Amino acid sequence: MRRNPRRMLHYGAIPMALGTVLTGISAYQIYEMNHAVVYITWSIWWISVVLAAAASVLLICLIVSRETRSIESVTGAWLLLVAPLAVCASTGASIAAYLPTELAYMTLIVSYALLGAGAPLTCCILVLYVARITTFKLPPHDAIVTSFIPLGPAGQIGVAALSLGRMADTVLLDSTPQLDTLGPTMLGAGVLIALMAWGFCVFLLTHAVFSVVYQRRSAVIPFNISWWSLTFSVGVFGSLTAELGEVLDMRYLQVNYMVMVVLLLVLWMFNMVRTIVGAWTGSIFGIPSLANKEDATKESTSSAVTICDIRPADRYV
């Protein structure tokens, strides 16, 4: 991966995976079994924060410094660098509910800082991505599934804003009484951001489905590791729908959430079976679109060298 900067994009999946585990722990309330689990989970959350910051700052610097990029090279995988910031922010809101007041207040502040860093970066990359899909052709058929990746970070911003707003409404009242009136304001801002993020996710989902259907008409879409981006995107969109359905008490959103849960379960089963088969045959290891680019670069380089090696006298033979 160090030799190919494009493959560094997948390092962002590590802190996101940690965030998924920590969110699951808080969702199933495992803290009630042992109070020490709270502090263990909180410590792991700080590790994920460091990894997310490294993925978002250091990897961006490495990728920018190692090769020249054009807007045509922008894909949804770029968002894997900045998505961990929003994931850690929403995870911090989930963990803060079980922490003492002082620690919960500090976690809330750090989570808002992470969201403040991740949301603008995500929006910048989304602007580049929308400009890319409206200016150039769609990604290659073996990477077209990455069209679903923008759905995840966009939805994660809404989840983080809404979760932090709900937590701020409680934590600020207990920790800083002078800011007790700020809690409802932050909750209202979180609901507003979540609604806008949900609307944008509907657009991204529609475009991703259209892209896959359009590419499927011309070529078969092979299974590769990028198919796992479907579970992240659908799962985040489902979480955002569930949060909004609970806050706004809308039956429509709650039904949509149940449909997404069933869809997510089907995707997990499908990807798991195909990954096991691909690991057994060896076809799952590697990124076809990147391999094709590398092969094409090698071929063009060797052709150029061959032409340059021809002596002037031989050109006229």
Side-chain angles (χ1 to χ4, degrees):
M1 287 189 178
R2 291 184 294 107
R3 295 182 179 180
N4 194 329
R6 293 185 184 92
R7 299 189 180 184
M8 290 183 181
L9 300 173
H10 300 281
Y11 282 124
I14 299 175
M16 286 194 292
L18 284 177
T20 303
V21 174
L22 298 179
T23 303
I25 293 176
S26 60
Y28 290 101
Q29 298 181 356
I30 302 179
Y31 304 117
E32 297 181 358
M33 301 179 184
N34 190 344
H35 192 67
V37 178
V38 178
Y39 297 98
I40 295 175
T41 305
W42 191 56
S43 302
I44 299 175
W45 177 76
W46 279 106
I47 296 175
S48 67
V49 169
V50 174
L51 292 176
S56 302
V57 178
L58 296 180
L59 290 181
I60 288 179
C61 295
L62 287 175
I63 291 175
V64 171
S65 61
R66 289 194 177 189
E67 65 176 29
T68 303
R69 290 181 175 269
S70 63
I71 189 145
E72 189 177 2
S73 65
V74 177
T75 63
W78 280 34
L79 291 164
L80 293 176
L81 294 176
V82 296
L85 294 173
V87 173
C88 290
S90 60
T91 304
S94 301
I95 298 175
Y98 301 93
L99 292 172
T101 303
E102 296 79 7
L103 298 181
Y105 179 69
M106 180 175 62
T107 304
L108 182 69
I109 297 301
V110 174
S111 298
Y112 264 111
L114 291 171
L115 181 60
L121 288 173
T122 300
C123 293
C124 291
I125 297 179
L126 284 173
V127 169
L128 293 176
Y129 178 75
V130 173
R132 183 246 186 273
I133 63 177
T134 55
T135 306
F136 299 95
K137 61 182 181 180
L138 295 173
H141 67 281
D142 55 352
I144 192 62
V145 182
T146 59
S147 300
F148 286 90
I149 293 181
L151 184 65
Q156 193 66 53
I157 292 176
V159 173
L162 186 54
S163 301
L164 290 174
R166 297 175 68 178
M167 187 53 54
D169 193 23
T170 304
V171 173
L172 292 181
L173 181 62
D174 298 333
S175 60
T176 53
Q178 65 273 18
L179 298 177
D180 57 349
T181 58
L182 184 60
T185 304
M186 300 175 75
L187 175 59
V191 173
L192 181 61
I193 294 174
L195 282 173
M196 292 189 295
W198 192 87
F200 189 47
C201 285
V202 172
F203 162 75
L204 293 174
L205 178 62
T206 304
H207 170 265
V209 172
F210 165 79
S211 301
V212 171
V213 173
Y214 182 82
Q215 287 285 47
R216 180 63 179 82
R217 295 175 56 188
S218 58
V220 177
I221 301 176
F223 181 83
N224 50 56
I225 202 66
S226 64
W227 280 65
W228 281 100
S229 62
L230 290 170
T231 58
F232 168 65
S233 303
V234 175
V236 172
F237 190 32
S239 299
L240 177 59
T241 304
E243 292 280 347
L244 284 174
E246 181 180 353
V247 173
L248 301 178
D249 195 19
M250 293 184 63
R251 181 70 175 177
Y252 170 74
L253 294 176
Q254 295 172 356
V255 172
N256 279 349
Y257 169 66
M258 296 304 299
V259 173
M260 291 179 190
V261 169
V262 175
L263 178 60
L264 183 61
L265 179 61
V266 173
L267 289 174
W268 265 99
M269 297 297 294
F270 175 79
N271 288 341
M272 181 181 65
V273 173
R274 292 299 301 270
T275 301
I276 293 175
V277 174
W280 180 262
T281 59
S283 60
I284 195 66
F285 303 108
I287 306 174
S289 59
L290 297 182
N292 294 338
K293 284 185 177 181
E294 293 172 358
D295 294 340
T297 303
K298 290 179 180 179
E299 291 178 2
S300 61
T301 304
S302 61
S303 300
V305 172
T306 303
I307 293 174
C308 294
D309 289 342
I310 298 177
R311 292 174 297 178
D314 296 337
R315 297 180 183 177
Y316 302 99
V317 176

Short mmCIF file of all heavy atoms in Angstrom, two decimals, residues 122-147:
data_model
loop_
_atom_site.label_atom_id
_atom_site.label_comp_id
_atom_site.label_asym_id
_atom_site.label_seq_id
_atom_site.Cartn_x
_atom_site.Cartn_y
_atom_site.Cartn_z
N THR A 122 -15.68 16.42 4.43
CA THR A 122 -16.59 15.55 3.69
C THR A 122 -17.35 16.32 2.62
O THR A 122 -17.50 15.85 1.48
CB THR A 122 -17.59 14.88 4.66
OG1 THR A 122 -16.86 14.12 5.63
CG2 THR A 122 -18.55 13.97 3.91
N CYS A 123 -17.81 17.52 2.97
CA CYS A 123 -18.54 18.34 1.99
C CYS A 123 -17.64 18.74 0.83
O CYS A 123 -18.09 18.76 -0.33
CB CYS A 123 -19.11 19.57 2.68
SG CYS A 123 -20.42 19.22 3.88
N CYS A 124 -16.38 19.04 1.11
CA CYS A 124 -15.45 19.42 0.03
C CYS A 124 -15.25 18.26 -0.94
O CYS A 124 -15.28 18.45 -2.17
CB CYS A 124 -14.10 19.84 0.62
SG CYS A 124 -14.15 21.42 1.52
N ILE A 125 -15.05 17.06 -0.40
CA ILE A 125 -14.86 15.90 -1.27
C ILE A 125 -16.14 15.56 -2.01
O ILE A 125 -16.11 15.15 -3.19
CB ILE A 125 -14.35 14.71 -0.45
CG1 ILE A 125 -12.98 15.03 0.15
CG2 ILE A 125 -14.26 13.45 -1.31
CD1 ILE A 125 -12.41 13.92 1.01
N LEU A 126 -17.29 15.74 -1.37
CA LEU A 126 -18.56 15.49 -2.05
C LEU A 126 -18.78 16.45 -3.21
O LEU A 126 -19.33 16.08 -4.25
CB LEU A 126 -19.72 15.60 -1.05
CG LEU A 126 -19.90 14.41 -0.10
CD1 LEU A 126 -20.97 14.72 0.94
CD2 LEU A 126 -20.27 13.15 -0.88
N VAL A 127 -18.34 17.71 -3.04
CA VAL A 127 -18.43 18.67 -4.15
C VAL A 127 -17.58 18.20 -5.32
O VAL A 127 -18.01 18.23 -6.48
CB VAL A 127 -18.01 20.07 -3.67
CG1 VAL A 127 -17.84 21.00 -4.86
CG2 VAL A 127 -19.04 20.64 -2.71
N LEU A 128 -16.35 17.74 -5.02
CA LEU A 128 -15.49 17.22 -6.08
C LEU A 128 -16.10 15.99 -6.73
O LEU A 128 -16.03 15.80 -7.96
CB LEU A 128 -14.11 16.87 -5.51
CG LEU A 128 -13.24 18.04 -5.03
CD1 LEU A 128 -11.96 17.50 -4.40
CD2 LEU A 128 -12.92 18.97 -6.17
N TYR A 129 -16.72 15.15 -5.92
CA TYR A 129 -17.32 13.92 -6.45
C TYR A 129 -18.50 14.23 -7.37
O TYR A 129 -18.62 13.65 -8.45
CB TYR A 129 -17.76 13.02 -5.30
CG TYR A 129 -18.44 11.75 -5.75
CD1 TYR A 129 -17.69 10.70 -6.28
CD2 TYR A 129 -19.82 11.61 -5.65
CE1 TYR A 129 -18.31 9.54 -6.70
CE2 TYR A 129 -20.44 10.44 -6.07
CZ TYR A 129 -19.68 9.41 -6.59
OH TYR A 129 -20.30 8.27 -7.02
N VAL A 130 -19.37 15.16 -6.95
CA VAL A 130 -20.51 15.53 -7.80
C VAL A 130 -20.03 16.20 -9.08
O VAL A 130 -20.56 15.96 -10.17
CB VAL A 130 -21.47 16.46 -7.02
CG1 VAL A 130 -22.57 16.98 -7.93
CG2 VAL A 130 -22.08 15.71 -5.84
N ALA A 131 -18.98 17.03 -8.98
CA ALA A 131 -18.41 17.64 -10.18
C ALA A 131 -17.83 16.58 -11.11
O ALA A 131 -17.93 16.68 -12.33
CB ALA A 131 -17.34 18.65 -9.79
N ARG A 132 -17.24 15.55 -10.53
CA ARG A 132 -16.66 14.49 -11.34
C ARG A 132 -17.73 13.70 -12.09
O ARG A 132 -17.58 13.40 -13.28
CB ARG A 132 -15.84 13.56 -10.45
CG ARG A 132 -15.12 12.45 -11.21
CD ARG A 132 -15.69 11.10 -10.84
NE ARG A 132 -14.95 10.01 -11.44
CZ ARG A 132 -15.18 9.54 -12.65
NH1 ARG A 132 -16.14 10.06 -13.41
NH2 ARG A 132 -14.49 8.52 -13.13
N ILE A 133 -18.81 13.32 -11.40
CA ILE A 133 -19.83 12.50 -12.06
C ILE A 133 -20.66 13.29 -13.05
O ILE A 133 -21.28 12.70 -13.95
CB ILE A 133 -20.75 11.84 -11.01
CG1 ILE A 133 -21.52 12.91 -10.22
CG2 ILE A 133 -19.97 10.93 -10.08
CD1 ILE A 133 -22.50 12.35 -9.23
N THR A 134 -20.68 14.60 -12.92
CA THR A 134 -21.42 15.42 -13.88
C THR A 134 -20.55 15.87 -15.05
O THR A 134 -21.08 16.38 -16.04
CB THR A 134 -22.02 16.65 -13.20
OG1 THR A 134 -20.98 17.38 -12.53
CG2 THR A 134 -23.09 16.25 -12.20
N THR A 135 -19.23 15.71 -14.93
CA THR A 135 -18.31 16.16 -15.97
C THR A 135 -17.73 14.99 -16.77
O THR A 135 -17.62 15.08 -17.99
CB THR A 135 -17.15 16.97 -15.36
OG1 THR A 135 -17.69 18.04 -14.57
CG2 THR A 135 -16.28 17.57 -16.46
N PHE A 136 -17.39 13.91 -16.09
CA PHE A 136 -16.78 12.77 -16.75
C PHE A 136 -17.71 11.57 -16.67
O PHE A 136 -18.76 11.62 -16.03
CB PHE A 136 -15.43 12.43 -16.10
CG PHE A 136 -14.43 13.55 -16.17
CD1 PHE A 136 -14.29 14.44 -15.12
CD2 PHE A 136 -13.65 13.73 -17.30
CE1 PHE A 136 -13.38 15.47 -15.18
CE2 PHE A 136 -12.73 14.76 -17.37
CZ PHE A 136 -12.60 15.64 -16.32
N LYS A 137 -17.30 10.50 -17.29
CA LYS A 137 -18.11 9.29 -17.30
C LYS A 137 -18.08 8.62 -15.92
O LYS A 137 -17.29 8.99 -15.04
CB LYS A 137 -17.61 8.32 -18.36
CG LYS A 137 -16.17 7.87 -18.14
CD LYS A 137 -15.72 6.95 -19.25
CE LYS A 137 -14.27 6.48 -19.02
NZ LYS A 137 -13.82 5.58 -20.09
N LEU A 138 -18.91 7.62 -15.75
CA LEU A 138 -18.99 6.90 -14.48
C LEU A 138 -17.71 6.11 -14.23
O LEU A 138 -16.94 5.84 -15.15
CB LEU A 138 -20.19 5.96 -14.50
CG LEU A 138 -21.57 6.62 -14.59
CD1 LEU A 138 -22.65 5.56 -14.78
CD2 LEU A 138 -21.86 7.43 -13.34
N PRO A 139 -17.46 5.71 -12.98
CA PRO A 139 -16.30 4.87 -12.69
C PRO A 139 -16.38 3.55 -13.46
O PRO A 139 -17.45 3.17 -13.94
CB PRO A 139 -16.40 4.63 -11.17
CG PRO A 139 -17.21 5.78 -10.66
CD PRO A 139 -18.18 6.12 -11.74
N PRO A 140 -15.25 2.85 -13.62
CA PRO A 140 -15.27 1.57 -14.33
C PRO A 140 -16.21 0.57 -13.68
O PRO A 140 -16.53 0.68 -12.49
CB PRO A 140 -13.80 1.11 -14.28
CG PRO A 140 -13.18 1.91 -13.20
CD PRO A 140 -13.91 3.21 -13.15
N HIS A 141 -16.63 -0.41 -14.46
CA HIS A 141 -17.67 -1.34 -13.99
C HIS A 141 -17.23 -2.14 -12.77
O HIS A 141 -18.06 -2.52 -11.94
CB HIS A 141 -18.09 -2.28 -15.12
CG HIS A 141 -17.00 -3.24 -15.53
ND1 HIS A 141 -15.95 -2.87 -16.33
CD2 HIS A 141 -16.80 -4.55 -15.23
CE1 HIS A 141 -15.15 -3.90 -16.51
NE2 HIS A 141 -15.64 -4.94 -15.86
N ASP A 142 -15.92 -2.42 -12.63
CA ASP A 142 -15.46 -3.19 -11.48
C ASP A 142 -15.32 -2.33 -10.22
O ASP A 142 -15.07 -2.87 -9.14
CB ASP A 142 -14.14 -3.88 -11.78
CG ASP A 142 -13.07 -2.90 -12.24
OD1 ASP A 142 -13.42 -1.73 -12.48
OD2 ASP A 142 -11.90 -3.30 -12.36
N ALA A 143 -15.48 -1.02 -10.34
CA ALA A 143 -15.44 -0.11 -9.18
C ALA A 143 -16.73 0.70 -9.06
O ALA A 143 -16.78 1.64 -8.27
CB ALA A 143 -14.25 0.82 -9.28
N ILE A 144 -17.75 0.34 -9.81
CA ILE A 144 -18.99 1.13 -9.81
C ILE A 144 -19.72 1.05 -8.48
O ILE A 144 -20.48 1.95 -8.12
CB ILE A 144 -19.91 0.67 -10.97
CG1 ILE A 144 -21.04 1.67 -11.19
CG2 ILE A 144 -20.45 -0.72 -10.69
CD1 ILE A 144 -20.59 3.05 -11.59
N VAL A 145 -19.49 -0.03 -7.72
CA VAL A 145 -20.16 -0.17 -6.43
C VAL A 145 -19.71 0.90 -5.45
O VAL A 145 -20.42 1.22 -4.50
CB VAL A 145 -19.92 -1.59 -5.86
CG1 VAL A 145 -20.66 -1.79 -4.55
CG2 VAL A 145 -20.39 -2.64 -6.86
N THR A 146 -18.53 1.49 -5.68
CA THR A 146 -18.08 2.58 -4.81
C THR A 146 -18.97 3.81 -4.91
O THR A 146 -18.80 4.74 -4.12
CB THR A 146 -16.63 2.97 -5.16
OG1 THR A 146 -16.56 3.38 -6.53
CG2 THR A 146 -15.68 1.80 -4.94
N SER A 147 -19.89 3.82 -5.85
CA SER A 147 -20.84 4.93 -5.94
C SER A 147 -21.72 5.02 -4.70
O SER A 147 -22.32 6.06 -4.43
CB SER A 147 -21.72 4.78 -7.19
OG SER A 147 -20.95 4.77 -8.37
#
